[in-house]
Amino acid sequence: MDATLYKDTKVSRGLNYHYFYSPATSGYPTLLLIHGFPSSSFDWHRQVEYFRPKGYGLLVPDLIGSGGTSKPEDPDAFRIVRIARDIVDLLDAEGLDKVIGIGHDWGSTVLSRLANLYDERFYAYAWNAIAYQPPRLQPIDIDTLIEHLSAKTGNEHFGYWKFFNLSDTHVLCERNIDSFLQLVFPTYPEVWLEWFAPVNKFQQWVEENRTPGIPEWLTQQEYDVLKKALADAGLQSMLNFYRVAVNNLNLPDDKQIPEEAWTIRKPALWVAALRDATGSAWADNIEKYVPGAKTVELDVGHWVQFESTERLNAEWEAWIEGLGLGGATAAL
């Protein structure tokens, strides 16, 4: 991604956001691409390289805690509704009235709150690997959640959340950064079933400093960029996404969202990663809360934008073209 197209702006709550912005050619919509953990706007570089020459606008922020964006240590700063407000501030900074919102991983959760609270700013939504997340009215008990999912699916799904909530997790993972990254970006998706999702296994992997190598769908150059970005940003701030969830800091905000805003009425795309050991836990939300969504199933793991780049780009493009925005964006 062209470094000269990155900008910095201060959002309304005083944090600095670093983001890539390339304006749309006349008649084309802007795509808002929201990444997840533990990376940065670079997650989307293959999609930027595909859509930018075609005339699409692209707004691709480094989320709070990552890249060149502010890295507060207070978990309260990571409440999802506050991050959603930050993203709207970026839209305002660039004079963007409406965009197509696209999320992955924690970016999918942020996109969900944007849909609930700022639906008028969007033409459509696309969730990738992690589905739409409705507001939660009951507190999470992480042990109960893990036990429930294990009984339901045979997969603990979120056992790693316990490790990510320990006070010194960032120290261990930064010290063994290759081991950490090579589990997050596994050589094949089923590694997550054994080493990522179950309680205590992620910690064991990193403590043993396992380094099986990088997956075939990542180039060495991409891996080096991901590693440098993580080394520069550190993990301490970014892990607050998990602390906020486990400590139920989003609960008061979620309770303020009216129930009529939970169901998504705008056009939507759900890209399901069939071999993602964590994302499948929320797939039912699409049928329940996004009834008109188009569903695309990919036989890959969590990192759809890397593992199935050409198919993902083609599916996005066909779906976007089907929205009928070309040449009429200003009128909608």
Side-chain angles (χ1 to χ4, degrees):
M1 292 164 69
D2 187 345
T4 66
L5 295 179
Y6 273 87
K7 295 184 174 184
D8 289 87
T9 196
K10 184 173 288 188
V11 297
S12 54
R13 59 175 171 149
L15 299 177
N16 177 74
Y17 265 74
H18 188 63
Y19 61 98
F20 176 95
Y21 179 58
S22 177
T25 300
S26 179
Y28 283 84
T30 294
L31 312 183
L32 167 67
L33 308 183
I34 313 175
H35 72 85
F37 178 91
S39 37
S40 68
S41 53
F42 180 74
D43 276 8
W44 300 115
H45 79 100
R46 296 185 187 180
Q47 285 65 48
V48 169
E49 291 163 4
Y50 182 81
F51 284 96
R52 184 174 171 235
K54 293 175 177 286
Y56 291 92
L58 291 145
L59 177 60
V60 195
D62 288 338
L63 281 189
I64 181 175
S66 69
T69 294
S70 294
K71 300 169 183 64
E73 295 184 8
D74 182 0
D76 202 57
F78 284 72
R79 285 160 57 178
I80 300 299
V81 299
R82 295 185 175 183
I83 300 173
R85 178 68 248 182
D86 296 343
I87 300 300
V88 171
D89 288 343
L90 298 185
L91 299 183
D92 290 343
E94 296 301 339
L96 295 168
D97 181 50
K98 284 188 178 183
V99 297
I100 295 173
I102 300 175
H104 175 258
D105 194 81
W106 280 104
S108 287
T109 305
V110 173
L111 183 64
S112 300
R113 288 302 160 274
L114 285 164
N116 299 143
L117 298 170
Y118 304 101
D119 184 57
E120 73 280 0
R121 305 300 296 268
F122 293 87
Y123 294 115
Y125 307 96
W127 284 275
N128 299 267
I130 300 296
Y132 167 76
Q133 303 290 299
R136 179 179 288 273
L137 302 185
Q138 300 299 323
I140 291 174
D141 177 85
I142 188 60
D143 292 311
T144 301
L145 177 61
I146 292 168
E147 182 180 348
H148 168 73
L149 290 171
S150 182
K152 180 180 178 181
T153 68
N155 173 5
E156 292 181 337
H157 289 279
F158 302 122
Y160 65 99
W161 282 24
K162 294 172 70 70
F163 174 50
F164 283 4
N165 270 268
L166 300 179
S167 61
D168 61 347
T169 294
H170 66 287
V171 177
L172 174 62
C173 292
E174 290 168 10
R175 184 169 65 238
N176 296 335
I177 190 169
D178 284 299
S179 180
F180 172 78
L181 277 175
Q182 289 173 30
L183 180 52
V184 171
F185 297 92
T187 52
Y188 58 95
E190 287 70 29
V191 170
W192 277 21
L193 287 171
E194 182 179 0
W195 288 102
F196 196 105
V199 175
N200 298 326
K201 297 299 284 186
F202 198 121
Q203 181 173 1
Q204 180 186 343
W205 173 287
V206 179
E207 286 176 342
E208 293 175 355
N209 199 22
R210 292 170 174 257
T211 53
I214 67 175
E216 61 181 12
W217 39 265
L218 269 186
T219 69
Q220 185 64 53
Q221 182 179 13
E222 287 173 325
Y223 178 82
D224 291 343
V225 171
L226 290 165
K227 180 178 176 178
K228 185 179 187 306
L230 182 60
D232 290 346
L235 276 169
Q236 185 172 13
S237 177
M238 215 182 311
L239 283 166
N240 280 318
F241 277 105
Y242 297 93
R243 298 185 184 109
V244 164
V246 169
N247 290 287
N248 294 295
L249 298 186
N250 291 313
L251 194 61
D253 301 321
D254 282 1
K255 287 182 175 180
Q256 298 301 312
I257 299 173
E259 190 170 351
E260 58 266 26
W262 293 19
T263 300
I264 307 306
R265 308 294 182 186
K266 294 278 179 70
L269 175 68
W270 161 230
V271 179
L274 298 181
R275 297 166 68 189
D276 184 349
T278 61
S280 59
W282 307 124
D284 291 348
N285 289 342
I286 296 296
E287 182 177 355
K288 185 173 182 180
Y289 295 105
V290 197
K294 175 184 177 181
T295 296
V296 172
E297 295 182 336
L298 301 180
D299 187 29
V300 297
H302 183 70
W303 298 98
V304 292
Q305 62 269 64
F306 290 113
E307 295 181 58
S308 189
T309 303
E310 292 184 3
R311 172 80 186 280
L312 182 70
N313 291 349
E315 292 288 355
W316 282 10
E317 186 173 25
W319 171 70
I320 293 167
E321 290 178 349
L323 298 176
L325 301 179
T329 303
L332 294 177

